[in-house]
Amino acid sequence: MTKTLVIAEKPSVAQDIVRALTPVAGKFEKHEDHFENDRYVVTSAVGHLVEIQAPEQFDVKRGKWSFAHLPVIPPFFDLKPVDKTKSRLNAVVKQAKRKDVTDLINACDAGREGELIFRLIEQYAGGSKPLGKPVKRLWLQSMTPQAIRDGFDALRSEQQMAGLASAARSRSEADWLVGINGTRAMTAFNSRDGGFFLTTVGRVQTPTLSLVVEREEKIRKFISRDYWEIHATFGAQAGEYPAKWFDPKWKKGEDVEARADRVWSAAEAQAIANAVRGKQATVTEESKPTTQASPLLFDLTSLQREANGKFGFSAKTTLALAQSLYERHKALTYPRTDSRALPEDYLPVAKQTFEMLADSGMRHLAPHALTALNNNYVRPSKRIFDNSKVSDHFAIIPTLQAPSGLSEAEQKLYDLVVRRFMAVFFPSAEYTVTTRISTVAPHSFKTEGKVLVKPGWLAIYGKEAADEVEGGKDGDKGQNLVPVQPGEMVNTLQVDPKGLKTKPPARYSEATLLGAMESAGKQIDDEELRSAMQEKGLGTPATRAAIIEGLLTEKYMLREGREIIPTAKAFQLMTLLRGLEVEELCRADLTGEWEYKLSQMEKGQLSREAFMAEIAAMTERMVKKAKEYDRDTIPGDYATLESPCPNCGGVVKENYRRFACVGKPGAEPCGFSFGKSPAGRTFETAEANALLRDKKIGPLEGFRSKAGWPFTSEIVIKYDDEAHNYKLEFDFGDDKKGEESGEIVEFEDAALGACPICGSEVHEHGSNYVCSKAVPTAAQPTPSCTFKSGKIILQQPVEREQMTKLLETGKTDLLDKFVSMRTRRNFKAHLAWDKEAGKVNFEFAPSKFPPRPGAAAKTVAAKVGKTSTTAKKAPAKKAAAKTMAAKAPRKAAAGKAPSAALAAVIGAEPVARPEAVKKMWEYIKAHNLQDPKDKRTIVADDKLRAVFGKDSAGMFELAGILGNHLGGE
């Protein structure tokens, strides 16, 4: 019998598919890496299992990056497995190659990235020739069982997916060409003077960075101006009301900061105030009704923006929460969407969703759902239901499944989506807006009042939102106005000029940066117009969060509160790209055009060949510009440092590569300079000032060795006798030099706690925390203690409060920024005092995924305990022993000698298999060998590779593998 292989993107989705198909296709049998019944084999990837690479003959590895080997534009791409998921790839390929598997179903996420994940696996499985098995596409908008079954009833054909597949491959290859060639070309340019200055660029990440840099440049260049407003209080028979002076003849001109209510001199403002003070005013007013419709339904970008503004969630966090609500809780529809409308045939589903919400027991939401049903609000509307605005996915809305067991953050996001979904069906909010002009000839004062008549959709958001009126805080809008009788003259009770300053544009937050990416940098406030522009945006809703995170990881940007601030490294990159005239990587609107062309390709309106030819031409031009640039420096807007030259006291100025002394006024430069980016880490201007002032700075993170390894160090400026000048050096904090020289140390900081070895005070000293008796002091010139612990360990800063905690309690909190020297992966651990070793060591938190053998042992122990309490005739110990003997295999009770390979991991003592598994897990945790993305997979180091016979193994394989290494078991 032939079978169909279903490949999902993640194991959790594979399980959902099996649960949904079981009632209609029969029960599935579970295997280690797949599920199977008479009709289907269901397996899954874990995200990307395969990535593209240049064929060996066209590629050049790191260490040989130079212009001689660029550009790299291979005629085709090879595939390579992602190292950490090789075993999963092999398992999926094995199922794809089965002779009884005659066709495939692509059940990866419904989007460009999901299409690419499947296509690369299929290509890899085929090897040198196509796999040749027909493919259908499962396209899921919701993860409820019924939605999955409906998806299987409406599978899409290979032809229907051809455009999306072409766009997916083209996006991947374009990013590779621009990223690899751009990064290598800019790295080669920046490393000309020696060292390895990694300079990453990307087709989408670099134009995004340019938006942030351009905004920061405007802020830095902004010169604040003083202006004045004139605020008055008028008295009518019915009471008082506020007003603000304005010029009714004012028209918008070239001065972007001019406004009708601003005057630019204190004297003019005072003159207006003096002219009207104590006088009577005539009043005219106009009242008119106005309405405000609810915002559109959420797509991913608008949801990320709203969640960032309301809760401070990063774009990455919002995507992860939405994905969890979609996959795990089945509570939201597919989140990675760029659509803000629903299909025109979705009205019945919308009604059913309101019915679910009304009956859900969610007290804060159910009453509004009931109101909508009772008042027949759920009706056809082109603003909500519009096929022309739905591509492959529709807007994010709640599913028919009421969630339970949500985390606090998940609940917040779910509520946000549900309220927006309900609001869009509710009537518009209705206001009465009154504009009152009070005139003391020739001066006019304006007052605006806005009264909510019917809350409409605002009722869903509560009283606070309904009362909140834009501008109400300014004192000239939003208030309920006291009435003025027709023809009544009012008195000017108080009038005061108010001095203010113009403000620079605000820095980007993630919310505003996502909006700028969506519109390719164009300032578009209108929601409908922005929706029309988004096809030409930077990246896609699914990738924008990752782009922002990538720029933060590469230290091109920093988060400070909710603000995003570009670093010196970002300014240096933009200076370089502008100087080289590589416009494509600087201008967001140009890169937005590439994204638009990819969306055209998805619709079959543009050929893959034409797009890739443009990308190749862009790549060649970018490399050529960098290669042929022949001037000594790059033109740019450079800083002058406040601190003087340490050698001659002259002025130190920045250029593209260095901070250099330009001499005192009228004198020649003394030759002092230092590189702006030693070991690939760029100095901020404030850091360079501090370095000159104090002759040292640090320890600083983010340096890279010539081989690309990250490291941390202090930087010092020392006098060089041979050069007769100062030069910059790394200082790795080897405090032994000071100890050996006998130089007396004086501690200026407060003690952190008692030394765990001798009980003396522990202080900061250089790049370490040390016992006061571990260095020469006036009280004890000869050190007698050995306690010392670094202030930065494997790139994890150890703050003073953490060291205090370690000295008080024996260990720090769980720290999460350690970076393994072997794997370069992040890991979490406590730092703890190891009394036996006499030093600070790692202590790892218990795994969330305990090994199955251990769990089995606990079950046996539980059964033993139960038997011993119920056995009346036999003593408790004998009953327990008999039960253990019955439950446990006899061989496991006796120890067996481990093989040489296994002995290298757990020791050479004879051991039973459960004990061997336990020791193996201790080794795995101590060396952080669980795959961070799939804790059930163990990534082998050299010792484990000898035991496993392969690069990785599943958690449940361990017992079987170890049996082969225990005395012939």
Side-chain angles (χ1 to χ4, degrees), residues 233-241 482 488-494:
T233 303
F234 291 99
Q237 293 171 18
E240 299 176 0
Y241 63 90
V482 298
E488 181 186 349
M489 299 289 285
V490 297
N491 295 315
T492 310
L493 301 178
Q494 189 176 344

Side-chain angles (χ1 to χ4, degrees), residues 773-788:
K773 291 189 176 178
V775 292
T777 61
Q780 184 182 308
T782 304
S784 62
C785 186
T786 58
F787 179 79
K788 179 168 76 171

Side-chain angles (χ1 to χ4, degrees), residues 317-339:
T317 298
T318 299
L319 176 55
L321 291 170
Q323 198 72 20
S324 173
L325 286 164
Y326 163 67
E327 272 181 27
R328 186 171 157 224
H329 298 287
K330 320 291 183 285
L332 292 186
T333 57
Y334 186 74
R336 296 167 185 257
T337 175
D338 60 358
S339 175

Side-chain angles (χ1 to χ4, degrees), residues 524-560:
I524 300 171
D525 295 322
D526 182 77
E527 208 171 58
E528 312 273 351
L529 184 58
R530 193 168 64 239
S531 177
M533 261 297 297
Q534 67 187 11
E535 270 199 339
K536 295 192 177 187
L538 285 173
T540 65
T543 60
R544 285 174 192 141
I547 290 159
I548 292 172
E549 288 298 322
L551 289 166
L552 290 162
T553 301
E554 286 293 335
K555 300 292 188 289
Y556 279 122
M557 308 188 308
L558 302 170
R559 274 195 194 101
E560 281 191 12

